[in-house]
């Protein structure tokens, strides 16, 4: 009840509405709980005037089990396949009639063999395929709408995550006349940002002391205001830890083959071979790069083999070099260029640290600063190149 109060954003946990949850958790079977949830979902859709956009939703096995166990989000180190566990927007990606029939058959198979199947058979049944993310504007709107209805059904109207997702929906709706700006990759990035926000929101633990001392409480919050702002201004954004499974080649690296430098991998994904001089001390290529940095820098490496100029990259986003986080390795400041894949400075006096010696906190902070600037910098470079070509013509 206390945890629900945190999700529902009420001032007093005694005010939390738990009737629906009592019925869901207390239902005798999964099908009974599913029927209760669908009825509540459609009632919410009607109250919100969103009946037309409410999907003919059939809550999945994993979704219902997560709800009934109140295990609403996977652990933070979950694999990509685990990310459809619990409450998140993938549950509302479009499901065809044949997919629905297949899902029902899988659920029946799981239930019938729950006490007899081997560990290997269990893993095979659990090997799920994530539904395909939206690829066009109205499908994206409908997906967010269906998800919003479910969040409000479970956590009521004051839920901060709901308000954040709604802000993203309104930002899209406000730009309905600019649909050409959005690409399938944009919709996947929006979905991933909402998934990440839900995981952060639902993994925040709340207790009674948080309501007794609200000024010191760490209540569940949403970070979707930035996403909504970027969409309102039609600015590109690149979410952290975006999954390789959803990338569009060559905008983001599909994979980094073992031992292959990020530069070469980016070019090979485009069918091109870079001419990289690997003379010791001149072009120091680092293939041991943290994955979030690989993904962030992939669009850059797909356009050039030059070591990144962070002064210009940050300037494109209105930032200065002092915005970059500091990190010492054995008493020496880390080399940002080496950490991103290539340092071409002769006699570089910065630390060329191995990935294992670079803290993940630094990686996160570094990507948070640089990530929004990369697409802006590349857009500037493209405009400059077009202007130069036009002048030559």
């Amino acid at each position: 009840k206390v945890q629900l109060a945190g999700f529902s954003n009420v001032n007093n946990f005694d005010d939390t509405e738990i009737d629906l949850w009592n019925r869901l958790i207390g239902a005798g079977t999964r099908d009974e709980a599913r029927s209760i949830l669908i009825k509540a979902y459609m009632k919410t859709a009607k109250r919100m005037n969103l009946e037309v956009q409410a999907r003919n939703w059939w809550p999945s096995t994993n979704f219902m089990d997560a709800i009934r166990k109140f295990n609403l989000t996977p652990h933070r180190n979950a694999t990509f396949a685990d990310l459809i566990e619990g409450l998140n927007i993938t549950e509302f990606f479009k499901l065809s009639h044949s997919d629905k029939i297949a899902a029902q058959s899988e659920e029946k198979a799981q239930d019938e063999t729950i006490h007899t199947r081997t560990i290997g058979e269990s893993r095979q049944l659990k090997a799920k395929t994530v539904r395909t993310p939206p690829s066009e504007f109205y499908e994206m709107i409908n997906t967010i709408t269906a998800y919003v209805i479910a969040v409000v059904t479970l956590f009521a109207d004051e839920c901060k995550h709901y308000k954040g997702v709604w802000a993203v929906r309104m930002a899209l709706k406000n730009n309905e006349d600019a649909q050409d700006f959005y690409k399938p990759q944009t919709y996947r990035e929006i979905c991933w940002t909402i998934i990440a926000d839900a995981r952060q929101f639902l993994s925040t633990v709340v207790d009674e002391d948080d309501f007794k001392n609200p000024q010191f409480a760490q209540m569940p919050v949403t970070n979707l205001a930035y996403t909504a702002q970027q969409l309102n201004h039609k600015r590109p954004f690149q979410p952290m830890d975006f999954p390789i499974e959803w990338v569009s080649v060559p905008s983001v690296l599909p994979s980094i083959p073992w031992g292959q430098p990020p530069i070469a991998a980016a070019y090979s994904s485009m069918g091109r071979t870079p001419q990289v001089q690997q003379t010791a001390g001149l072009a120091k290529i680092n293939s041991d790069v943290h994955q979030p940095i690989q993904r962030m820098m992939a669009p850059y490496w797909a356009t050039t083999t030059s070591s990144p100029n962070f002064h210009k990259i940050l300037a494109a986003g209105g930032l200065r070099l002092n915005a970059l986080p500091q990190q010492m390795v054995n008493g020496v400041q880390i080399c940002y260029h080496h950490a991103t894949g290539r340092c071409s400075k002769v006699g570089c006096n910065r630390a060329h640290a191995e990935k294992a010696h670079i803290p993940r906190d630094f990686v996160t902070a570094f990507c948070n600063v640089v990530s929004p600037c990369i697409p802006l910098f590349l857009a500037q470079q493209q405009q400059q190149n077009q202007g130069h070509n036009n002048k030559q013509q």
Side-chain angles (χ1 to χ4, degrees):
K1 183 176 180 180
V2 175
Q3 191 65 49
L4 273 176
F7 296 153
S8 303
N9 193 30
V10 298
N11 294 325
N12 189 325
F13 67 85
D14 287 330
D15 298 334
T16 312
E17 177 55 59
I18 61 172
D19 176 62
L20 173 62
W21 283 93
N22 282 337
R23 287 188 290 133
L24 289 171
I25 294 172
T29 65
R30 188 190 295 119
D31 280 338
E32 183 184 341
R34 182 180 281 123
S35 176
I36 292 169
L37 180 58
I38 291 174
K39 286 178 181 176
Y41 172 85
M42 294 308 298
K43 185 177 179 180
T44 302
K46 184 176 182 179
R47 179 173 63 81
M48 295 179 73
N49 246 351
L50 296 173
E51 287 177 283
V52 175
Q53 290 172 299
R55 294 187 184 280
N56 183 21
W57 181 38
W58 186 82
S60 69
T61 306
N62 296 302
F63 186 90
M64 290 310 307
D65 289 348
I67 293 293
R68 298 180 75 203
K69 295 173 184 175
F70 203 70
N71 183 21
L72 302 180
T73 191
H75 57 83
R76 290 188 177 275
N77 296 320
T79 64
F80 178 75
D82 292 329
L83 292 176
I84 61 170
E85 301 283 358
L87 172 63
N88 69 65
I89 199 170
T90 62
E91 173 74 15
F92 301 91
F93 292 170
K94 193 172 184 179
L95 188 68
S96 68
H97 180 69
S98 58
D99 288 337
K100 180 178 175 180
I101 297 299
Q104 291 171 335
S105 298
E106 285 175 14
E107 179 175 303
K108 185 178 179 182
Q110 287 188 38
D111 290 343
E112 287 179 348
T113 62
I114 191 168
H115 298 299
T116 60
R117 60 178 179 259
T118 64
I119 292 175
E121 288 168 339
S122 260
R123 287 175 178 166
Q124 192 172 14
L125 275 172
K126 196 174 172 64
K128 304 166 291 293
T129 300
V130 180
R131 304 177 191 185
T132 305
S135 59
E136 64 92 24
F137 183 83
Y138 292 108
E139 181 64 21
M140 183 73 243
I141 293 291
N142 289 339
T143 298
I144 292 180
T145 303
Y147 176 62
V148 157
I149 296 168
V151 173
V152 173
T153 300
L154 295 169
F155 303 128
D157 300 61
E158 293 302 315
C159 172
K160 290 182 179 178
H161 179 62
Y162 147 63
K163 291 184 176 181
V165 179
W166 188 261
V168 170
R169 180 185 183 275
M170 293 308 298
L172 284 168
K173 290 282 286 180
N174 292 340
N175 287 302
E176 195 167 358
D177 59 343
Q179 294 178 38
D180 290 344
F181 167 77
Y182 304 109
K183 310 296 180 191
Q185 178 72 23
T186 311
Y187 301 129
R188 290 193 287 273
E189 289 173 351
I190 292 170
C191 288
W192 184 255
T193 304
I194 292 173
I195 289 170
D197 192 78
R199 291 181 71 193
Q200 171 194 276
F201 183 86
L202 295 170
S203 61
T204 304
V205 178
V206 181
D207 58 36
E208 291 186 31
D209 289 339
D210 289 319
F211 290 93
K212 295 174 184 175
N213 302 291
Q215 67 272 28
F216 302 113
Q218 303 246 337
M219 303 299 278
V221 296
T222 181
N223 295 309
L224 291 174
Y226 170 77
T227 304
Q229 183 183 45
Q230 294 296 92
L231 290 170
N232 269 321
H233 295 288
K234 296 189 284 295
R235 293 175 184 159
F237 64 96
Q238 199 172 23
M240 282 288 295
D241 292 332
F242 188 77
I244 283 175
E245 289 82 352
W246 281 357
V247 299
S248 293
V249 178
S251 62
V252 184
L253 281 180
S255 63
I256 301 292
W258 179 257
Q260 187 176 7
I263 303 170
Y267 271 78
S268 64
S269 73
M270 301 172 69
R272 296 157 58 188
T273 304
Q275 300 300 314
V276 182
Q277 189 177 1
Q278 299 195 36
T279 307
L282 181 58
K284 300 173 184 176
I285 295 178
N286 174 26
S287 60
D288 191 32
V289 178
H290 278 279
Q291 275 205 355
I293 296 179
Q294 287 180 0
R295 294 178 181 129
M296 176 183 73
M297 295 300 297
Y300 177 88
W301 291 130
T303 62
T304 182
T305 59
S306 300
S307 186
N309 184 327
F310 285 108
H311 174 74
K312 291 184 177 180
I313 290 172
L314 293 177
L319 301 176
R320 297 184 177 182
L321 282 174
N322 60 8
L324 291 173
Q326 303 293 303
Q327 180 63 47
M328 306 298 286
V329 178
N330 295 329
V332 181
Q333 172 62 33
I334 196 170
C335 174
Y336 299 120
H337 301 95
H338 180 79
T340 53
R342 185 187 186 196
C343 175
S344 57
K345 186 176 181 180
V346 178
C348 178
N349 58 3
R350 297 290 183 98
H352 284 200
E354 295 179 359
K355 181 172 71 174
H357 298 150
I358 302 177
R360 287 193 64 83
D361 287 348
F362 166 78
V363 173
T364 300
F366 181 73
C367 289
N368 282 340
V369 173
V370 178
S371 182
C373 301
I374 294 285
L376 298 173
F377 170 76
L378 295 177
Q380 282 184 1
Q381 295 297 108
Q382 187 177 14
Q383 288 177 352
Q384 290 174 9
N385 291 338
Q386 287 175 346
H388 179 70
N389 292 338
N390 292 339
K391 188 175 179 180
Q392 283 187 328
Q393 289 175 359

